[in-house]
Coordinates of all heavy atoms in Angstrom, one line a residue:
M1 N -13.6 5.3 3.3 CA -12.2 5.6 3.2 C -11.6 5.0 1.9 O -12.0 3.9 1.6 CB -11.5 5.0 4.4 CG -10.0 5.3 4.4 SD -9.1 4.6 5.8 CE -9.7 5.7 7.1
K2 N -10.8 5.8 1.2 CA -10.3 5.2 -0.1 C -8.8 4.9 0.1 O -8.0 5.8 0.6 CB -10.4 6.3 -1.2 CG -10.0 5.7 -2.5 CD -10.5 6.7 -3.6 CE -10.4 6.1 -5.0 NZ -9.0 6.0 -5.4
L3 N -8.4 3.7 -0.2 CA -7.0 3.2 0.0 C -6.4 2.8 -1.3 O -7.0 1.9 -2.0 CB -7.0 2.1 1.0 CG -7.5 2.3 2.4 CD1 -7.6 1.0 3.2 CD2 -6.6 3.3 3.1
D4 N -5.3 3.5 -1.7 CA -4.6 3.2 -3.0 C -3.2 2.8 -2.6 O -2.5 3.6 -2.0 CB -4.6 4.4 -3.9 CG -6.0 4.7 -4.4 OD1 -6.5 4.0 -5.3 OD2 -6.7 5.6 -3.9
L5 N -2.8 1.6 -3.1 CA -1.4 1.2 -2.9 C -0.6 1.3 -4.2 O -0.9 0.5 -5.1 CB -1.4 -0.2 -2.3 CG 0.1 -0.7 -2.0 CD1 0.7 0.1 -0.8 CD2 0.0 -2.2 -1.6
Y6 N 0.3 2.2 -4.2 CA 1.2 2.3 -5.4 C 2.4 1.4 -5.1 O 3.1 1.5 -4.1 CB 1.7 3.7 -5.6 CG 0.5 4.5 -6.2 CD1 -0.5 5.0 -5.3 CD2 0.4 4.8 -7.5 CE1 -1.6 5.7 -5.8 CE2 -0.7 5.5 -8.0 CZ -1.7 6.0 -7.1 OH -2.8 6.6 -7.6
Q7 N 2.7 0.5 -6.1 CA 3.7 -0.5 -5.8 C 4.1 -1.2 -7.1 O 3.6 -0.8 -8.2 CB 3.2 -1.6 -4.8 CG 1.8 -2.1 -5.1 CD 1.7 -3.1 -6.2 OE1 2.4 -4.1 -6.2 NE2 0.8 -2.9 -7.2
Y8 N 5.1 -2.1 -7.1 CA 5.4 -2.9 -8.3 C 5.9 -4.3 -7.8 O 6.4 -4.4 -6.7 CB 6.2 -2.3 -9.3 CG 7.6 -1.8 -8.9 CD1 8.7 -2.7 -8.8 CD2 7.8 -0.4 -8.7 CE1 9.9 -2.2 -8.4 CE2 9.1 0.1 -8.4 CZ 10.1 -0.8 -8.2 OH 11.4 -0.4 -7.9
E9 N 5.7 -5.2 -8.7 CA 5.9 -6.6 -8.4 C 7.3 -7.0 -7.8 O 7.4 -7.6 -6.8 CB 5.8 -7.5 -9.6 CG 4.6 -8.5 -9.5 CD 4.4 -9.1 -10.9 OE1 5.2 -9.9 -11.4 OE2 3.3 -8.7 -11.4
S10 N 8.4 -6.5 -8.4 CA 9.7 -6.9 -8.1 C 10.3 -6.1 -6.9 O 11.4 -6.4 -6.5 CB 10.7 -6.8 -9.2 OG 10.7 -5.4 -9.7
C11 N 9.5 -5.2 -6.3 CA 10.0 -4.4 -5.2 C 9.8 -5.2 -3.9 O 8.7 -5.6 -3.6 CB 9.3 -3.1 -5.1 SG 9.4 -2.2 -3.5
R12 N 10.9 -5.5 -3.2 CA 10.7 -6.4 -2.0 C 10.0 -5.7 -0.8 O 9.3 -6.3 0.0 CB 12.1 -6.9 -1.5 CG 13.0 -5.9 -1.0 CD 14.4 -6.5 -0.8 NE 15.4 -5.5 -0.4 CZ 15.8 -5.5 0.9 NH1 15.4 -6.3 1.8 NH2 16.8 -4.6 1.2
Y13 N 10.1 -4.4 -0.8 CA 9.3 -3.6 0.3 C 7.8 -3.7 0.0 O 7.0 -3.8 0.9 CB 9.8 -2.2 0.4 CG 11.3 -2.1 0.7 CD1 12.2 -1.9 -0.3 CD2 11.7 -2.3 2.0 CE1 13.6 -1.8 0.0 CE2 13.1 -2.2 2.3 CZ 14.0 -2.0 1.3 OH 15.3 -1.9 1.5
C14 N 7.5 -3.6 -1.3 CA 6.1 -3.7 -1.8 C 5.6 -5.1 -1.5 O 4.4 -5.3 -1.0 CB 6.0 -3.4 -3.3 SG 6.6 -1.8 -3.8
D15 N 6.5 -6.1 -1.7 CA 6.1 -7.5 -1.5 C 5.7 -7.7 0.0 O 4.7 -8.4 0.3 CB 7.2 -8.4 -1.9 CG 6.8 -9.8 -1.9 OD1 5.7 -10.2 -2.5 OD2 7.5 -10.6 -1.3
K16 N 6.5 -7.1 0.8 CA 6.3 -7.2 2.3 C 4.9 -6.7 2.7 O 4.2 -7.3 3.4 CB 7.4 -6.4 3.0 CG 7.4 -6.6 4.5 CD 8.7 -6.1 5.1 CE 8.7 -4.6 5.2 NZ 9.8 -4.0 6.1
V17 N 4.6 -5.5 2.1 CA 3.3 -4.9 2.4 C 2.2 -5.7 1.8 O 1.2 -6.0 2.5 CB 3.3 -3.4 1.8 CG1 1.8 -2.9 1.9 CG2 4.2 -2.5 2.5
R18 N 2.3 -6.2 0.5 CA 1.3 -7.0 -0.1 C 1.0 -8.3 0.7 O -0.1 -8.7 0.9 CB 1.7 -7.4 -1.5 CG 1.5 -6.2 -2.6 CD 1.7 -6.8 -4.0 NE 2.9 -7.5 -4.1 CZ 4.0 -7.0 -4.7 NH1 4.1 -5.8 -5.1 NH2 5.1 -7.8 -4.8
R19 N 2.1 -8.9 1.2 CA 1.9 -10.2 1.9 C 1.2 -9.9 3.3 O 0.4 -10.7 3.7 CB 3.3 -10.9 2.2 CG 3.7 -11.7 0.9 CD 4.9 -12.5 1.1 NE 6.1 -11.7 1.2 CZ 6.9 -11.6 2.2 NH1 6.6 -12.3 3.3 NH2 8.0 -10.9 2.2
H20 N 1.5 -8.8 3.9 CA 0.8 -8.4 5.1 C -0.7 -8.1 4.9 O -1.5 -8.5 5.7 CB 1.5 -7.2 5.8 CG 1.1 -7.0 7.2 ND1 1.6 -7.8 8.2 CD2 0.2 -6.2 7.7 CE1 1.0 -7.4 9.3 NE2 0.1 -6.4 9.1
I21 N -0.9 -7.5 3.8 CA -2.3 -7.2 3.4 C -3.1 -8.5 3.2 O -4.2 -8.7 3.7 CB -2.4 -6.4 2.1 CG1 -2.0 -4.9 2.4 CG2 -3.8 -6.4 1.5 CD1 -1.7 -4.0 1.2
D22 N -2.4 -9.5 2.6 CA -3.1 -10.8 2.4 C -3.3 -11.5 3.7 O -4.4 -12.1 4.0 CB -2.2 -11.7 1.5 CG -2.1 -11.3 0.1 OD1 -3.0 -10.5 -0.3 OD2 -1.3 -11.8 -0.7
K23 N -2.3 -11.4 4.6 CA -2.4 -12.0 5.9 C -3.6 -11.4 6.7 O -4.3 -12.1 7.4 CB -1.1 -11.8 6.7 CG -0.9 -12.7 7.8 CD 0.5 -12.6 8.4 CE 0.4 -12.0 9.8 NZ 1.7 -11.6 10.3
L24 N -3.8 -10.1 6.6 CA -4.9 -9.4 7.3 C -6.2 -9.7 6.6 O -7.3 -9.4 7.2 CB -4.6 -7.9 7.3 CG -3.5 -7.3 8.2 CD1 -3.3 -5.8 7.9 CD2 -3.7 -7.6 9.6
G25 N -6.2 -10.2 5.4 CA -7.5 -10.5 4.7 C -8.2 -9.2 4.3 O -9.5 -9.2 4.3
I26 N -7.5 -8.2 3.9 CA -8.1 -6.9 3.5 C -7.8 -6.5 2.1 O -8.0 -5.3 1.7 CB -7.7 -5.8 4.5 CG1 -6.2 -5.6 4.5 CG2 -8.2 -6.1 5.9 CD1 -5.7 -4.4 5.2
K27 N -7.4 -7.4 1.3 CA -7.0 -7.1 -0.1 C -8.2 -6.5 -0.9 O -7.9 -5.6 -1.7 CB -6.7 -8.5 -0.8 CG -5.8 -8.3 -2.0 CD -5.4 -9.7 -2.4 CE -4.7 -9.6 -3.8 NZ -4.2 -10.9 -4.2
H28 N -9.4 -6.9 -0.6 CA -10.5 -6.3 -1.3 C -10.8 -4.9 -1.0 O -11.6 -4.2 -1.7 CB -11.8 -7.2 -1.0 CG -12.1 -7.2 0.5 ND1 -11.3 -7.8 1.4 CD2 -13.2 -6.6 1.1 CE1 -11.9 -7.6 2.6 NE2 -13.0 -6.9 2.5
L29 N -10.2 -4.3 0.0 CA -10.4 -2.9 0.4 C -9.4 -2.0 -0.2 O -9.5 -0.8 0.0 CB -10.3 -2.8 1.9 CG -11.3 -3.7 2.7 CD1 -11.0 -3.6 4.2 CD2 -12.7 -3.2 2.4
I30 N -8.5 -2.6 -1.0 CA -7.3 -1.7 -1.5 C -7.3 -1.8 -3.0 O -7.4 -2.8 -3.6 CB -6.0 -2.3 -0.8 CG1 -6.1 -2.0 0.7 CG2 -4.8 -1.6 -1.4 CD1 -5.0 -2.6 1.5
N31 N -7.1 -0.6 -3.6 CA -6.9 -0.5 -5.0 C -5.4 -0.5 -5.3 O -4.6 0.3 -4.8 CB -7.4 0.9 -5.5 CG -8.9 1.1 -5.1 OD1 -9.7 0.3 -5.5 ND2 -9.1 2.1 -4.3
Y32 N -5.0 -1.5 -6.1 CA -3.5 -1.6 -6.4 C -3.2 -0.9 -7.7 O -3.9 -1.0 -8.7 CB -3.2 -3.1 -6.5 CG -3.2 -3.9 -5.2 CD1 -4.4 -4.3 -4.7 CD2 -2.1 -4.2 -4.6 CE1 -4.5 -5.0 -3.5 CE2 -2.1 -4.9 -3.4 CZ -3.3 -5.3 -2.8 OH -3.4 -5.9 -1.7
H33 N -2.0 -0.2 -7.7 CA -1.6 0.4 -8.9 C -0.1 0.1 -9.1 O 0.7 0.3 -8.2 CB -1.7 2.0 -8.7 CG -3.0 2.4 -8.3 ND1 -4.1 2.6 -9.2 CD2 -3.5 2.7 -7.1 CE1 -5.1 3.0 -8.5 NE2 -4.9 3.0 -7.2
D34 N 0.2 -0.5 -10.2 CA 1.6 -0.9 -10.5 C 2.3 0.2 -11.3 O 2.0 0.5 -12.5 CB 1.5 -2.2 -11.4 CG 2.9 -2.8 -11.5 OD1 3.9 -2.1 -11.8 OD2 3.0 -4.0 -11.4
T35 N 3.3 0.8 -10.7 CA 3.9 2.0 -11.3 C 4.9 1.6 -12.4 O 5.4 2.5 -13.1 CB 4.6 2.9 -10.2 OG1 5.6 2.1 -9.5 CG2 3.6 3.4 -9.2
L36 N 5.3 0.4 -12.5 CA 6.1 0.0 -13.6 C 5.3 -0.4 -14.8 O 5.7 0.0 -15.9 CB 7.0 -1.2 -13.2 CG 8.3 -1.0 -12.4 CD1 9.1 -2.2 -12.3 CD2 9.1 0.2 -12.9
K37 N 4.2 -1.1 -14.6 CA 3.4 -1.5 -15.7 C 2.5 -0.4 -16.2 O 2.0 -0.5 -17.4 CB 2.5 -2.7 -15.3 CG 3.4 -4.0 -15.1 CD 2.5 -5.2 -14.8 CE 3.3 -6.4 -14.6 NZ 2.5 -7.4 -13.8
D38 N 2.1 0.5 -15.4 CA 1.1 1.5 -15.7 C 1.7 2.9 -15.6 O 1.8 3.5 -14.5 CB -0.1 1.3 -14.8 CG -1.2 2.3 -15.1 OD1 -1.1 3.2 -16.0 OD2 -2.2 2.3 -14.4
P39 N 2.1 3.5 -16.8 CA 2.7 4.9 -16.7 C 1.8 5.9 -16.1 O 2.2 6.9 -15.5 CB 3.0 5.2 -18.2 CG 2.8 3.9 -18.9 CD 2.0 3.0 -18.1
E40 N 0.5 5.8 -16.3 CA -0.5 6.7 -15.7 C -0.5 6.7 -14.2 O -0.6 7.7 -13.5 CB -1.9 6.5 -16.2 CG -2.1 6.8 -17.7 CD -1.8 8.3 -18.0 OE1 -2.2 9.1 -17.2 OE2 -1.1 8.5 -19.0
A41 N -0.3 5.4 -13.7 CA -0.2 5.3 -12.2 C 1.0 6.0 -11.7 O 1.0 6.6 -10.7 CB -0.2 3.8 -11.9
K42 N 2.1 5.8 -12.4 CA 3.4 6.5 -12.0 C 3.2 8.0 -12.0 O 3.7 8.7 -11.1 CB 4.5 6.1 -13.0 CG 5.8 6.8 -12.7 CD 6.9 5.8 -12.6 CE 8.2 6.5 -12.4 NZ 9.3 6.0 -13.1
K43 N 2.6 8.5 -13.0 CA 2.3 10.0 -13.1 C 1.5 10.4 -11.9 O 1.8 11.4 -11.3 CB 1.5 10.3 -14.4 CG 2.4 10.6 -15.6 CD 1.5 11.3 -16.7 CE 2.0 10.8 -18.0 NZ 1.1 11.1 -19.1
R44 N 0.5 9.6 -11.6 CA -0.4 10.0 -10.4 C 0.4 10.0 -9.1 O 0.3 10.9 -8.3 CB -1.6 9.0 -10.3 CG -2.7 9.3 -11.3 CD -4.0 8.6 -10.9 NE -3.9 7.2 -10.6 CZ -3.9 6.3 -11.5 NH1 -4.0 6.6 -12.8 NH2 -3.8 5.0 -11.2
L45 N 1.3 8.9 -9.0 CA 2.1 8.8 -7.8 C 3.0 10.1 -7.6 O 3.1 10.7 -6.5 CB 2.9 7.6 -7.8 CG 3.9 7.4 -6.7 CD1 3.2 7.3 -5.3 CD2 4.8 6.2 -6.9
L46 N 3.6 10.5 -8.7 CA 4.5 11.6 -8.7 C 3.7 12.9 -8.3 O 4.2 13.7 -7.5 CB 5.2 11.8 -10.0 CG 6.2 10.8 -10.4 CD1 6.7 10.9 -11.8 CD2 7.4 10.8 -9.5
T47 N 2.5 13.0 -8.8 CA 1.7 14.2 -8.4 C 1.3 14.2 -6.9 O 1.5 15.1 -6.2 CB 0.4 14.2 -9.3 OG1 0.8 14.1 -10.6 CG2 -0.4 15.5 -9.0
I48 N 0.9 13.0 -6.5 CA 0.4 12.9 -5.1 C 1.6 13.0 -4.1 O 1.4 13.6 -3.0 CB -0.2 11.4 -4.9 CG1 -1.5 11.3 -5.7 CG2 -0.5 11.2 -3.4 CD1 -2.0 9.9 -5.8
N49 N 2.7 12.5 -4.5 CA 3.8 12.3 -3.6 C 5.0 13.3 -3.8 O 6.1 13.0 -3.6 CB 4.4 10.9 -3.7 CG 5.1 10.5 -2.5 OD1 4.8 11.0 -1.4 ND2 6.0 9.6 -2.6
D50 N 4.6 14.5 -4.3 CA 5.6 15.6 -4.4 C 6.8 15.2 -5.2 O 7.9 15.4 -4.8 CB 6.0 15.9 -3.0 CG 6.2 17.4 -2.8 OD1 5.9 18.2 -3.7 OD2 6.8 17.8 -1.8
D51 N 6.6 14.6 -6.4 CA 7.6 14.2 -7.3 C 8.5 13.1 -6.9 O 9.6 12.9 -7.4 CB 8.5 15.4 -7.7 CG 8.1 16.0 -9.1 OD1 7.3 15.3 -9.7 OD2 8.6 17.1 -9.4
D52 N 8.1 12.4 -5.8 CA 8.9 11.3 -5.3 C 8.3 10.0 -5.8 O 7.1 9.8 -5.7 CB 8.9 11.3 -3.7 CG 9.8 10.3 -3.1 OD1 10.2 9.4 -3.8 OD2 10.0 10.4 -1.9
E53 N 9.1 9.1 -6.4 CA 8.6 7.9 -7.0 C 8.7 6.7 -6.1 O 8.5 5.6 -6.5 CB 9.2 7.6 -8.4 CG 10.7 7.3 -8.3 CD 11.2 7.1 -9.7 OE1 11.3 8.1 -10.5 OE2 11.6 6.0 -10.1
Q54 N 9.1 6.9 -4.8 CA 9.3 5.8 -3.9 C 8.0 5.0 -3.7 O 6.9 5.5 -3.6 CB 9.8 6.3 -2.6 CG 10.1 5.2 -1.6 CD 10.7 5.7 -0.3 OE1 11.7 6.5 -0.3 NE2 10.2 5.2 0.8
V55 N 8.2 3.7 -3.8 CA 7.2 2.7 -3.5 C 7.7 1.8 -2.4 O 8.9 1.6 -2.2 CB 6.7 1.9 -4.7 CG1 6.0 2.8 -5.7 CG2 7.9 1.2 -5.4
P56 N 6.8 1.2 -1.6 CA 5.4 1.3 -1.6 C 4.9 2.6 -1.1 O 5.6 3.2 -0.2 CB 4.9 0.1 -0.7 CG 6.1 0.0 0.2 CD 7.3 0.2 -0.5
C57 N 3.8 3.1 -1.6 CA 3.2 4.3 -1.1 C 1.7 4.0 -1.0 O 1.0 3.7 -1.9 CB 3.4 5.5 -2.1 SG 2.6 7.0 -1.6
L58 N 1.2 4.1 0.3 CA -0.2 3.9 0.5 C -0.8 5.3 0.5 O -0.4 6.2 1.3 CB -0.4 3.2 1.9 CG -1.9 3.0 2.2 CD1 -2.6 2.0 1.3 CD2 -2.0 2.6 3.7
V59 N -1.9 5.5 -0.3 CA -2.5 6.8 -0.3 C -3.9 6.6 0.4 O -4.7 5.9 -0.1 CB -2.7 7.3 -1.8 CG1 -3.4 8.7 -1.8 CG2 -1.3 7.4 -2.5
I60 N -4.0 7.3 1.5 CA -5.2 7.2 2.3 C -6.0 8.5 2.1 O -5.6 9.6 2.5 CB -4.8 7.1 3.8 CG1 -3.7 6.0 4.0 CG2 -6.0 6.9 4.7 CD1 -2.9 6.2 5.3
D61 N -7.2 8.3 1.5 CA -8.0 9.5 1.1 C -7.2 10.6 0.6 O -7.3 11.8 1.0 CB -8.8 9.9 2.4 CG -9.9 9.0 2.7 OD1 -10.4 8.3 1.8 OD2 -10.3 9.0 3.9
G62 N -6.3 10.3 -0.4 CA -5.5 11.3 -1.1 C -4.2 11.7 -0.4 O -3.4 12.4 -1.0
K63 N -4.0 11.2 0.8 CA -2.7 11.6 1.5 C -1.7 10.4 1.5 O -2.0 9.3 1.9 CB -3.0 11.9 3.0 CG -3.7 13.2 3.2 CD -3.7 13.6 4.7 CE -4.6 14.8 4.9 NZ -5.0 15.0 6.2
P64 N -0.5 10.7 1.0 CA 0.5 9.6 0.8 C 1.2 9.2 2.1 O 1.5 10.1 3.0 CB 1.5 10.2 -0.1 CG 1.4 11.7 0.1 CD 0.0 12.0 0.5
M65 N 1.4 7.9 2.3 CA 2.2 7.4 3.4 C 3.3 6.5 2.8 O 3.0 5.6 2.0 CB 1.4 6.6 4.4 CG 2.2 5.9 5.5 SD 1.2 4.9 6.5 CE 0.5 6.2 7.6
L66 N 4.6 6.8 3.1 CA 5.7 6.0 2.7 C 6.2 5.1 3.8 O 5.7 5.3 4.9 CB 6.8 7.0 2.2 CG 6.5 7.8 1.0 CD1 7.7 8.8 0.7 CD2 6.4 6.9 -0.3
E67 N 7.1 4.3 3.5 CA 7.8 3.4 4.4 C 7.0 2.2 4.7 O 5.9 2.3 5.4 CB 8.2 4.1 5.7 CG 9.3 5.1 5.5 CD 10.6 4.6 4.9 OE1 10.9 3.4 5.2 OE2 11.2 5.3 4.1
S68 N 7.5 1.0 4.2 CA 6.7 -0.2 4.4 C 6.3 -0.5 5.8 O 5.2 -0.9 6.1 CB 7.5 -1.4 3.8 OG 8.8 -1.4 4.3
D69 N 7.2 -0.3 6.7 CA 6.9 -0.6 8.1 C 5.8 0.3 8.7 O 4.9 -0.2 9.4 CB 8.1 -0.5 9.0 CG 9.1 -1.6 8.8 OD1 8.7 -2.6 8.2 OD2 10.3 -1.4 9.2
D70 N 5.8 1.6 8.3 CA 4.7 2.5 8.7 C 3.4 2.1 8.1 O 2.3 2.2 8.7 CB 5.1 3.9 8.3 CG 6.3 4.5 9.1 OD1 6.6 3.9 10.1 OD2 6.8 5.5 8.7
I71 N 3.4 1.7 6.8 CA 2.2 1.3 6.1 C 1.6 0.1 6.8 O 0.4 0.0 7.1 CB 2.5 1.0 4.6 CG1 2.9 2.3 3.9 CG2 1.3 0.4 3.9 CD1 3.4 2.2 2.5
I72 N 2.5 -0.9 7.1 CA 2.0 -2.2 7.7 C 1.4 -1.9 9.1 O 0.3 -2.4 9.4 CB 3.2 -3.1 7.8 CG1 3.5 -3.8 6.5 CG2 2.9 -4.2 8.9 CD1 4.8 -4.6 6.4
K73 N 2.1 -1.0 9.8 CA 1.6 -0.7 11.2 C 0.2 0.0 11.1 O -0.8 -0.3 11.8 CB 2.6 0.3 11.9 CG 2.3 0.6 13.3 CD 3.5 1.3 13.9 CE 3.3 1.6 15.4 NZ 2.4 2.7 15.7
W74 N 0.1 1.0 10.1 CA -1.1 1.7 10.0 C -2.3 0.8 9.5 O -3.4 0.9 10.1 CB -0.9 2.9 9.0 CG -2.1 3.8 8.9 CD1 -2.3 4.9 9.7 CD2 -3.3 3.6 8.1 NE1 -3.6 5.4 9.4 CE2 -4.2 4.7 8.5 CE3 -3.7 2.7 7.2 CZ2 -5.4 4.8 7.8 CZ3 -5.0 2.8 6.6 CH2 -5.8 3.9 6.9
L75 N -2.0 -0.1 8.6 CA -3.0 -1.0 8.1 C -3.5 -1.9 9.2 O -4.7 -2.2 9.3 CB -2.5 -1.8 6.9 CG -2.4 -1.0 5.6 CD1 -1.7 -1.9 4.5 CD2 -3.8 -0.6 5.1
T76 N -2.5 -2.4 10.0 CA -2.9 -3.3 11.0 C -3.8 -2.7 12.1 O -4.8 -3.2 12.5 CB -1.6 -3.8 11.8 OG1 -0.7 -4.4 10.8 CG2 -1.9 -4.8 12.8
E77 N -3.4 -1.4 12.5 CA -4.1 -0.7 13.5 C -5.5 -0.2 13.1 O -6.4 -0.1 13.8 CB -3.3 0.4 14.1 CG -2.1 -0.2 14.9 CD -1.1 0.9 15.3 OE1 -1.3 2.1 15.0 OE2 -0.1 0.6 16.0
N78 N -5.5 0.3 11.8 CA -6.7 1.0 11.4 C -7.7 0.2 10.5 O -8.8 0.6 10.5 CB -6.3 2.3 10.6 CG -5.6 3.3 11.5 OD1 -6.2 4.0 12.2 ND2 -4.2 3.2 11.5
I79 N -7.2 -0.8 9.8 CA -8.0 -1.5 8.9 C -8.1 -3.0 9.4 O -9.2 -3.5 9.4 CB -7.5 -1.5 7.5 CG1 -7.3 0.0 7.0 CG2 -8.5 -2.1 6.5 CD1 -8.5 0.9 7.0
G80 N -7.0 -3.6 9.7 CA -7.0 -5.0 10.0 C -7.8 -5.4 11.2 O -8.6 -6.3 11.2
A81 N -7.7 -4.6 12.2 CA -8.5 -4.9 13.5 C -10.0 -4.9 13.2 O -10.7 -5.8 13.7 CB -8.1 -3.8 14.5
A82 N -10.4 -4.0 12.4 CA -11.9 -3.9 12.2 C -12.4 -5.0 11.3 O -13.6 -5.3 11.3 CB -12.2 -2.5 11.5
H83 N -11.5 -5.6 10.5 CA -11.9 -6.6 9.5 C -11.4 -8.0 9.9 O -11.4 -8.9 9.1 CB -11.4 -6.3 8.1 CG -12.2 -5.1 7.6 ND1 -11.8 -3.8 7.8 CD2 -13.3 -5.1 6.8 CE1 -12.7 -3.0 7.2 NE2 -13.6 -3.7 6.6
A84 N -10.9 -8.2 11.1 CA -10.5 -9.5 11.6 C -11.6 -10.5 11.6 O -12.7 -10.1 12.0 CB -9.9 -9.4 13.0
P85 N -11.4 -11.7 11.1 CA -12.4 -12.7 11.2 C -12.9 -13.0 12.6 O -12.1 -12.9 13.5 CB -11.8 -14.0 10.5 CG -10.3 -13.7 10.4 CD -10.1 -12.2 10.7
A86 N -14.2 -13.2 12.7 CA -14.7 -13.5 14.1 C -14.2 -14.7 14.6 O -14.0 -15.7 13.9 CB -16.3 -13.6 14.0
R87 N -13.8 -14.7 15.9 CA -13.2 -15.9 16.6 C -14.3 -16.8 17.2 O -15.3 -16.2 17.7 CB -12.3 -15.5 17.7 CG -11.0 -15.1 17.2 CD -10.1 -15.1 18.5 NE -8.8 -14.6 18.1 CZ -7.9 -14.2 19.0 NH1 -8.2 -14.2 20.3 NH2 -6.7 -13.8 18.7
K88 N -14.1 -18.1 17.1 CA -15.1 -19.0 17.8 C -14.7 -19.0 19.3 O -13.6 -19.0 19.6 CB -14.9 -20.4 17.2 CG -15.5 -20.6 15.9 CD -15.4 -22.0 15.5 CE -15.9 -22.2 14.0 NZ -15.5 -23.4 13.5
I89 N -15.8 -18.9 20.1 CA -15.5 -18.9 21.5 C -15.6 -20.4 22.0 O -16.4 -21.2 21.6 CB -16.6 -18.1 22.3 CG1 -16.6 -16.7 21.7 CG2 -16.3 -18.1 23.8 CD1 -17.6 -15.7 22.2
Ligands
GSH101 N1 12.6 2.2 3.4 C1 11.7 2.1 2.3 C2 12.4 1.6 1.1 C3 11.6 1.6 -0.1 C4 12.4 1.5 -1.4 O1 13.7 1.6 -1.4 N2 11.7 1.4 -2.5 C5 12.4 1.4 -3.8 C6 11.9 0.2 -4.7 S1 12.2 -1.4 -4.0 C7 12.1 2.7 -4.5 O2 11.0 3.1 -4.6 N3 13.2 3.3 -5.1 C8 13.0 4.5 -5.9 C9 13.0 5.7 -5.0 O3 13.3 5.7 -3.8 O4 12.7 6.8 -5.5 C10 10.5 1.2 2.7 O5 10.7 0.3 3.6 O6 9.4 1.3 2.2

């Protein structure tokens, strides 16, 4: 599965998603694209997301998902659970 997160530093919704990703320990599974620093990333986002530049946008195997809360929920349920650190019994 390919996961691309379109975002930028000063966006508080992006920050919420980034912090959750850190908390889940799944940062290494996600490709980050900064749409303010990288004009090519912004162009790609507009193409993927029907000319909408809203961030954060998580692109899951080419399909865009908007809304930070939806992204957090999806990552928690679909990626975080499978990569949770093993618990000591
Ligand atoms: N409800 C959205 C809000 C996202 C939002 O407002 N993002 C701003 C940047 S902080 C944005 O992309 N604005 C430009 C646009 O909506 O086209 C979420 O929780 O993800």
Side-chain angles (χ1 to χ4, degrees):
M1 180 180 289
K2 188 167 188 294
L3 298 172
D4 292 282
L5 182 66
Y6 289 81
Q7 45 81 48
Y8 55 79
E9 240 170 71
S10 58
C11 164
R12 66 191 176 105
Y13 302 99
C14 302
D15 187 51
K16 187 167 80 168
V17 171
R18 284 192 306 262
R19 280 187 287 117
H20 194 77
I21 288 169
D22 287 349
K23 200 173 111 189
L24 290 174
I26 57 169
K27 200 171 173 179
H28 59 292
L29 301 173
I30 294 171
N31 307 298
Y32 290 79
H33 308 274
D34 188 315
T35 58
L36 279 191
K37 289 184 181 160
D38 180 357
E40 289 303 315
K42 176 134 177 214
K43 270 193 215 167
R44 284 199 304 279
L45 174 63
L46 291 170
T47 306
I48 294 164
N49 203 27
D50 217 9
D51 259 352
D52 187 345
E53 65 182 70
Q54 184 174 311
V55 290
C57 178
L58 179 68
V59 181
I60 308 156
D61 286 337
K63 287 190 188 161
M65 174 183 280
L66 292 172
E67 293 303 324
S68 51
D69 288 343
D70 292 344
I71 293 171
I72 284 171
K73 185 169 185 285
W74 188 89
L75 285 172
T76 303
E77 291 175 357
N78 294 279
I79 309 294
H83 290 86
R87 276 196 187 165
K88 283 184 186 166
I89 302 173

